[in-house]
Amino acid sequence: MDPAPSVPSAAPHPDSAPRTQDQQADPHRRKVATAAALASAVEWYDYFVFGIAAALVLGDLYFPSGSSSAGVLAAFATFAVGFLARPVGGIIAGHLGDKRGRKPMLVLALTLMGLSTTGIGLLPTYETVGIAAPILLVTLRVLQGIAVGAQWGGAMLMATEYAPEGKRGLYGSLVQLGVPIGVVTANTVFLVAGAVTSEGAFEAWGWRVPFMVGLFVLVLAWYIHTRVEETPEFREAERALAEKEKSRQGEGGEGGEGISPLRTILRHHLGTVFLAGGSFAVNTATFYIIITGVLDYTTRELDMKRSAVLTVSLCVSLTQLALIPASAALSDRIGRLRIYAIGAAGLAVWAVPMFLLIDTGSLLWLAVGTFVTSCFLSIMYGPQAALFSELFTAEMRYTGASLGYQIAAVFGGGLAPFVMVLLLEATGTSMAVAAYIIGLAVIALISIKVLAGRAGSR
């Protein structure tokens, strides 16, 4: 029989495994947390530069057509393909990460991301190589998706499984900070590239510069491979499973299904995976709407300046650097699911006012609308790593947490900019996009309620 999953945190959650004095050594713990946060930041930077480029230039360069909307839709569809590949990365890395360790999967994910992102920066356009250009672009985007799907679970577990007692939420939030850091860095690099090149030069080669930063990811992968140790909780789970398997074989058994974390998740904990995904889809969908969908909408439909909108996005993302760890630290005190529910309810209430403010075409009201939205996103995102890790025990945690996260990414984030363009084209009003966010928020609140009920029943 599989061990029961950890209790989701409706109330503050105690760390699941005792740690020795050596394991609690502050210098190594800080090194691991810093490495995990950097891994997340550079991985998300590489991932986000594609979204910004899709909104600005990729449609014309790789999917030429007579309609600007059709080109943008094609570029955003390619953006979404990366999300469809993320569960593949989550499944492969999750299964191997639960069997072989968190660190090697994180190193592999970083290496794959660095190579695929650099490849996009070097890719010839449709005008140069014809149909091969969009095919190669989609292929490299798929590899990016596999890489980020593999990365999140590894970085998150490196941080949370090394966390000191009572601070799992805070340590997990260090990995979550990779998202706003990635957004800020990606926007900054695009702003600089646009500022130092003419419009023609930017479309010809300036947009490629942000992708070449992907080479630095390889350096970080090497550092983690050579300087960071495996997590103590994985080592303990590995020893326990080895002893359990040895005992079963000694009794003439065939071994336990705990040997296959993926099989264990699919047979006994798939409901928890879907509840985790349902609770988070509104967060990831709204996030990609405001950093890519709104960028396209404001520049193409509202005639706002690209550099000004990018600057607003950058400033709003900076505020998350404070809000994400603050909400995570609060979840260590009052519980993950309570914080989560506040954020989801806030997104539902604010969806309509946000688009009413954006539709004014004013930079000030754009900043206000997206800033408030960003606050609610941060409230949810801060405790999310710790919450997902606590839904599953150590021997299947990489697989379960990764699947829950990537399901939300596919049905929320990956499709959101594409759905936004379709809704705007079909209805002519941004209120349709607001309704889409509200619907996902309702699903999140229902999922959170079920998870809280399960926690209470235990």
Side-chain angles (χ1 to χ4, degrees), residues 88-418:
V88 176
I91 289 171
I92 295 173
H95 182 73
L96 294 176
D98 282 328
K99 290 177 69 68
R100 306 299 181 192
R102 306 356 180 163
K103 188 181 82 169
M105 292 302 102
L106 179 57
V107 170
L108 180 62
L110 288 169
T111 303
L112 181 60
M113 178 61 86
L115 293 175
S116 57
T117 301
T118 303
I120 293 172
L122 298 173
L123 193 64
T125 64
Y126 186 93
E127 184 179 0
T128 304
V129 297
I131 193 64
I135 292 174
L136 289 171
L137 182 66
V138 170
T139 301
L140 290 170
R141 181 58 179 172
V142 168
L143 294 177
Q144 276 195 321
I146 292 172
V148 81
Q151 173 272 145
W152 180 80
M156 177 271 289
L157 292 178
M158 290 293 289
T160 58
E161 291 186 350
Y162 263 108
E165 185 176 353
K167 292 186 178 180
R168 178 170 280 173
L170 180 60
Y171 269 62
S173 73
L174 298 178
V175 173
Q176 306 297 76
L177 286 176
V179 171
I181 291 173
V183 173
V184 168
T185 309
N187 276 290
T188 300
V189 174
F190 265 101
L191 280 170
V192 172
V196 301
T197 60
S198 65
E199 190 73 23
F202 179 81
E203 292 184 2
W205 59 268
W207 68 270
R208 298 180 181 274
V209 175
F211 288 90
M212 303 310 296
V213 180
L215 289 170
F216 291 104
V217 181
L218 302 177
V219 177
L220 180 60
W222 173 83
Y223 175 83
I224 292 175
H225 176 67
T226 57
R227 301 295 179 87
V228 175
E229 297 178 8
E230 188 55 78
T231 72
E233 286 195 29
F234 172 77
R235 293 197 300 265
E236 180 61 34
E238 188 177 38
R239 283 193 295 268
L241 285 175
E243 291 175 3
K244 183 178 179 180
E245 178 64 13
K246 184 178 179 180
S247 173
R248 287 179 175 176
Q249 289 178 346
E251 295 170 0
E254 298 180 357
E257 60 186 354
I259 293 176
S260 173
L262 178 59
R263 185 170 60 190
T264 301
I265 289 291
L266 294 179
R267 286 188 176 183
H268 301 289
H269 305 292
L270 194 57
T272 302
V273 169
F274 281 117
L275 287 171
S279 73
F280 190 61
V282 65
N283 186 290
T284 187
T286 307
F287 174 77
Y288 284 103
I289 283 173
I290 67 171
I291 70 162
T292 57
V294 168
L295 176 60
D296 167 64
Y297 177 60
T298 53
T299 55
R300 186 166 57 89
E301 300 289 343
L302 303 181
D303 295 322
M304 299 176 73
K305 290 185 177 180
R306 178 183 65 204
S307 60
V309 176
L310 282 171
T311 301
V312 168
S313 178
L314 186 153
C315 293
V316 167
S317 296
L318 282 172
T319 64
Q320 293 184 312
L321 297 178
L323 292 171
I324 286 175
S327 65
L330 186 59
S331 79
D332 283 327
R333 294 178 174 271
I334 69 173
R336 323 285 183 217
L337 291 174
R338 292 190 182 97
I339 299 296
Y340 229 51
I342 292 171
L347 290 175
V349 171
W350 186 248
V352 170
M354 178 183 72
F355 276 103
L356 290 176
L357 293 174
I358 291 172
D359 285 343
T360 64
S362 162
L363 276 177
L364 174 62
W365 292 123
L366 169 66
V368 171
T370 54
F371 168 72
V372 175
T373 302
S374 179
C375 290
F376 291 123
L377 291 175
S378 299
I379 288 171
M380 290 188 73
Y381 200 60
Q384 187 244 351
L387 171 62
F388 277 32
S389 73
E390 290 165 0
L391 291 173
F392 307 95
T393 50
E395 69 274 7
M396 57 181 168
R397 184 173 289 154
Y398 202 139
T399 304
S402 293
L403 278 177
Y405 187 95
Q406 304 312 335
I407 285 173
V410 170
F411 294 103
L415 295 176
F418 186 80

Side-chain angles (χ1 to χ4, degrees), residues 47 77-87 138 141-142 144-146 148:
Y47 202 64
T78 306
F79 180 69
V81 164
F83 285 83
L84 294 175
R86 281 170 62 168
V138 170
R141 181 58 179 172
V142 168
Q144 276 195 321
I146 292 172
V148 81

